Amino acid sequence: MPQDATVTAADIARLAGVGRAAVSNWRKRYDDFPRPVGGTATSPSFSLIEVRRWLRDQGRLDEPAVDEDLWHELRRTTDDAALPEVLGYAGAFLLRLARDPAYGESLAGASDADILRNLPGAVDDAVAIFPGGRPLPAVLRRRFPPLFRGLASLAAERGATATFEFLRERYLDLHRRRTYVTPPEVVRLVLDLAGPDLTTVLDPACGTGAYLLGALERGASGPVFGQDIDETVARLTAVRLALRASGTVVRAGDSLRHDAFSGVLADLVVTTPPFNDRNWGYEELTADARWEYGLPPRTESELAWVQHALAHCLPGAQAILLMPPAAANRRAGRRIRAQLLRRGALRAVFTLPLGAVPNTAVPLNLWVLRRPDAGDRQPSRVLMVETSDDYVAQAVTVWRRFEAEPEEELDEPGRAHAVRIIDLLDEEVDLTPSRHIGRPAAAPAIERVTDERVGVLGLLDALPGLLPEVEGGEEAVDAPLVPVAELVRMGLVTVHHATGAPPGDEEGAAAGAPPFLTADDVVQGRWPSLPSVSETVPDEDVIPVLAGDVVVPTIVRRPEARVVPEAGAVLGRHLFLLRPDPERLDAHFLAGVLRGSLNLRHYSMMSSSYRVDIRRAEVPLPPIGEQRRYGSAFRGLEEFETKLRLAATLGGDLARLLGDGLADGSLRPVGPARTKASGKGRGA
């Protein structure tokens, strides 16, 4: 049995109540910080015992975190391979506590022998209802009494449901790549579209159960069913739902190949199917009865899931699926899309704004379908909607209008259009909303010109005041030049350089992480541009950016350096960060010197740019008062340059707008009015 648990940098941060960047700094600053005992170079793990001892010695572990202690006790109970099974047993035990609180109270005074004797009866019945549920292994029972006492104690304080949610979230933190979590706003939208009267709900690719949990919270009066191909995820979801309501059933398995609910018909089927899955079972399922609208091509797995969902709907019931945009227009699926339209099964397609679903490079779609009923009138229109920031309210409002009058003309340029089905039945059968929604009328050209003219002239008016007053001098600064490497040795500045993976990679972004400052941000003078930190950036390479830091790109076409105006970001790749001692080295003076051409001779020339060696760059060192005087001038010059660049961009837009307006007649030069009598009207 493992005597110690291993923890990640994120775990250490939670134990100490600090951010992950602080843990990274401790590793660099303190030679006695515990060494990694496992993991990888980019994601090391540490001994929990050693970490606790170090935190306690540093005075950073004042009060024990009961929940964190419980999580690490659970991890000590077994190895990582068996952790999901043990977590399932813990969930079954919490389910027993939720249904029989007196049982938890009885554990307080019970001996280990009593707990071991009663544990199988307390857990096995609940475990049996979970996917892949097995009786409590005898070899593990001897290790469980301390863990189950801790579970009972925390459940008495927080409740069984909250206790399991904590453990489940900690497990998912370890396996982010394994699980997909549907954003709460998407869940809310789907259930709002479904309407208030929810009874039986099925999710055939339920994952962590977000849709089913939302349905229970909305008061679904019938049973809810879920299936997921990942047995571990299915087991955790089963516990999660069972803690909230009876009558929930979750099974493990591939829903297309091995449908666990083949006889179930639901009032709502909702899911996020796997995207672009070429191995969905095309060969085995060619003659399957579910393909009522046509055999899905091998490349159209999403259309197999659409028909699977409709096959589980009661007549007149809805199916709502989150779909990739390519499913709306791939040529291979056009015949099935046409059949969905002809039969009246597809009722609406909503395009969500980019970013509504994290870690996706394209805006996803929601397809709202309805299984036709024998007495239904054949619909003649299907709703197409493009949403923006407040997408839940926008989508629900227009959907309610369409539901009330599905055959009426509905046309909101830039937002929604009830398209005639006959107009969609062409060679492409393209269901992309943007193809069928008209653009809103632009503001009159004269109004746009007036607004943009005010902005450009305002910028130009501000420029003269930003240019510093200067006078002639033999040298810019009468002081010896000192290399940055020497400034580091003197303690005037520290230099940092991030080497982690770039932001926005395929692994996606970490929820709640600080924004990334990039080299392009520095060049453009913006702070910062990327919304969150990639999960693949090693903890030790996360460098927080502070107000007053100077950042310099490692590769430039011309020298660039900026002073960071505020904290809150972390350093991206291809940037040096210089942190000056503000009492001895002025940040704006330092940035101004590094931004000048003085140091180009120290950098390596490439084909069309320079590779910066910041430690060889030279900086004069006048007294701090003189530095600040020069720094003020450099600061005004930088602001002048930034606003001049903005004025050039806006001015170019204004010039194009004026030129287009004069060419198409929506604008005309100010001058004497022309009359018909002159015979020189436009076009004469």
Side-chain angles (χ1 to χ4, degrees):
M1 179 183 72
Q3 299 300 311
D4 188 14
T6 59
V7 290
T8 65
D11 294 325
I12 299 172
R14 283 190 287 262
L15 284 170
V18 298
R20 290 170 63 176
V23 178
S24 177
N25 287 337
W26 293 343
R27 292 186 63 196
K28 294 174 181 177
R29 291 175 54 195
Y30 298 102
D31 293 336
D32 62 342
F33 191 89
R35 300 299 179 190
V37 296
T40 65
T42 58
S43 184
S45 57
F46 306 84
S47 160
L48 176 61
I49 292 175
E50 293 179 6
V51 166
R52 283 189 181 282
R53 183 183 301 119
W54 188 87
L55 291 175
R56 195 174 292 111
D57 291 345
Q58 295 290 324
R60 301 180 186 276
L61 194 66
D62 297 332
E63 296 182 5
V66 177
D67 50 4
E68 296 292 344
D69 284 345
L70 178 62
W71 166 243
H72 295 302
E73 179 66 30
L74 189 150
R75 294 193 64 192
R76 273 197 299 266
T77 303
T78 186
D79 57 35
D80 284 348
L83 182 60
E85 189 173 2
V86 174
L87 189 55
Y89 298 141
F93 176 75
L94 290 167
L95 182 58
R96 170 64 189 271
L97 293 183
R99 295 175 177 176
D100 182 11
Y103 177 73
E105 297 172 4
S106 70
L107 294 179
S111 66
D112 285 2
D114 290 337
I115 293 177
L116 290 173
R117 184 168 52 253
N118 295 326
L119 204 53
V123 174
D124 287 354
D125 288 345
V127 168
I129 71 171
F130 299 148
R134 290 173 287 275
L136 192 65
V139 69
L140 293 178
R141 292 174 183 168
R142 296 188 303 274
R143 308 174 189 173
F144 276 15
L147 170 64
F148 278 57
R149 282 198 186 91
L151 285 170
S153 175
L154 191 60
E157 177 186 341
R158 298 188 182 181
T161 300
T163 298
F164 182 75
E165 282 297 309
F166 168 78
L167 298 175
R168 188 187 71 90
E169 289 169 6
R170 285 291 178 269
Y171 175 79
L172 295 181
D173 282 345
L174 294 176
H175 301 276
R176 286 188 181 274
R177 299 182 185 181
R178 183 173 182 170
T179 55
Y180 166 80
V181 179
T182 306
E185 288 297 296
V186 174
V187 173
R188 182 159 70 90
L189 171 57
V190 166
L191 296 176
D192 283 351
L193 294 174
D197 300 323
L198 298 176
T199 51
T200 303
V201 182
L202 166 67
D203 185 344
C206 64
T208 59
Y211 291 125
L212 298 178
L213 181 61
L216 291 175
E217 292 173 347
R218 296 285 183 102
S221 57
V224 300
F225 302 93
Q227 184 170 353
D228 196 84
I229 195 169
D230 188 318
E231 183 178 302
T232 295
V233 173
R235 185 184 300 126
L236 299 183
T237 299
V239 178
R240 190 183 193 199
L241 298 178
L243 282 165
R244 289 168 170 83
S246 59
T248 63
V249 184
V250 179
R251 295 287 180 259
D254 183 337
S255 291
L256 293 183
R257 288 186 174 91
H258 307 289
D259 187 358
F261 304 109
S262 58
V264 172
L265 294 179
D267 300 284
L268 173 65
V269 180
V270 58
T271 196
T272 300
F275 296 165
N276 304 316
D277 181 10
R278 297 296 183 92
N279 187 33
W280 59 268
Y282 174 81
E283 292 84 358
E284 305 101 299
L285 302 173
T286 299
D288 198 285
R290 288 171 292 183
W291 313 144
E292 186 176 348
Y293 301 88
L295 172 64
R298 188 189 306 274
T299 57
E300 295 289 342
S301 62
E302 296 87 2
L303 295 181
W305 284 97
V306 164
Q307 296 189 75
H308 175 80
L310 285 170
H312 275 288
C313 285
L314 287 164
Q318 284 184 326
I320 305 178
L321 289 84
L322 188 63
M323 301 279 279
N329 57 33
R330 281 191 295 241
R331 185 171 180 79
R334 68 190 187 281
R335 292 183 180 178
I336 294 177
R337 295 195 298 270
Q339 284 300 310
L340 291 170
L341 291 169
R342 289 191 180 100
R343 302 273 297 277
L346 183 64
R347 303 304 299 126
V349 179
F350 296 84
T351 298
L352 305 184
L354 183 62
V357 179
N359 307 332
T360 56
V362 293
L364 300 186
N365 292 341
L366 273 180
W367 287 25
V368 179
L369 303 109
R370 182 177 183 273
R371 183 172 181 177
D373 200 345
D376 283 347
R377 177 184 175 184
Q378 187 72 14
S380 65
R381 296 178 182 272
V382 63
L383 180 64
M384 299 284 177
V385 182
E386 279 198 307
T387 61
S388 54
D389 293 340
D390 188 14
Y391 64 92
V392 176
Q394 293 173 11
V396 172
T397 299
V398 73
W399 172 246
R400 295 286 177 255
R401 283 183 55 198
F402 178 72
E403 272 193 313
E405 299 288 347
E407 301 305 317
E408 295 297 318
E409 176 73 21
L410 190 160
D411 190 9
E412 297 183 13
R415 182 180 176 190
H417 186 200
V419 185
R420 295 194 310 164
I421 290 175
I422 194 172
D423 293 336
L424 295 170
L425 297 175
D426 55 16
E427 285 299 313
E428 296 180 342
V429 195
D430 192 336
L431 304 179
T432 306
S434 61
R435 292 284 301 273
H436 309 287
I437 299 174
R439 296 298 92 192
I446 188 59
E447 293 183 12
R448 296 169 60 197
V449 165
T450 301
D451 290 343
E452 293 194 21
R453 184 193 294 270
V454 169
V456 171
L457 293 180
L459 283 170
L460 294 175
D461 287 344
L463 290 177
L466 298 175
L467 280 174
E469 295 288 340
V470 296
E471 59 185 5
E474 294 183 1
E475 294 183 5
V477 180
D478 186 14
L481 295 175
V482 180
V484 168
E486 182 65 14
L487 296 179
V488 172
R489 192 191 66 76
M490 296 166 62
L492 271 69
V493 67
T494 58
V495 177
H496 306 273
H497 182 208
T499 58
D505 71 342
E506 63 182 6
E507 296 301 332
F516 241 111
L517 180 64
T518 69
D520 192 50
D521 293 331
V522 176
V523 173
Q524 299 298 325
R526 62 189 182 216
W527 308 95
S529 63
L530 288 180
S532 54
V533 176
S534 166
E535 278 295 307
T536 62
V537 177
D539 296 326
E540 62 267 27
D541 293 324
V542 175
I543 301 173
V545 177
L546 305 179
D549 288 346
V550 177
V551 282
V552 181
T554 58
I555 298 176
V556 294
R557 291 184 179 275
R558 48 163 289 182
E560 297 284 358
R562 305 278 179 182
V563 178
V564 175
E566 60 184 33
V570 297
L571 193 68
R573 285 185 69 182
H574 309 304
L575 282 175
F576 290 112
L577 183 147
L578 290 80
R579 184 163 292 157
D581 178 351
E583 299 301 319
R584 297 189 290 167
L585 185 59
D586 182 77
H588 288 282
F589 171 76
L590 175 62
V593 172
L594 295 176
R595 200 162 51 244
S597 301
L598 176 69
N599 283 295
L600 283 179
R601 66 182 186 274
H602 295 305
Y603 304 153
S604 301
M605 184 65 185
M606 302 168 67
S607 59
S608 61
S609 57
Y610 293 90
R611 183 180 297 278
V612 175
D613 184 352
I614 197 62
R615 292 180 178 272
R616 294 176 57 194
E618 294 179 330
V619 179
L621 272 186
I624 186 64
E626 189 74 354
Q627 290 182 38
R628 288 170 179 158
R629 188 167 72 90
Y630 274 86
S632 178
F634 281 131
R635 185 174 190 174
L637 194 58
E638 179 187 352
E639 189 175 355
F640 171 83
E641 186 179 7
T642 299
K643 290 194 173 181
L644 184 62
R645 185 186 298 118
L646 179 59
T649 300
L650 296 180
D653 292 342
L654 176 59
R656 282 187 292 273
L657 180 60
L658 284 165
D660 290 345
L662 290 170
D664 65 20
S666 59
L667 298 172
R668 66 184 182 188
V670 175
R674 295 174 297 175
T675 65
K676 293 182 179 179
S678 69
K680 295 184 179 180
R682 186 176 185 271

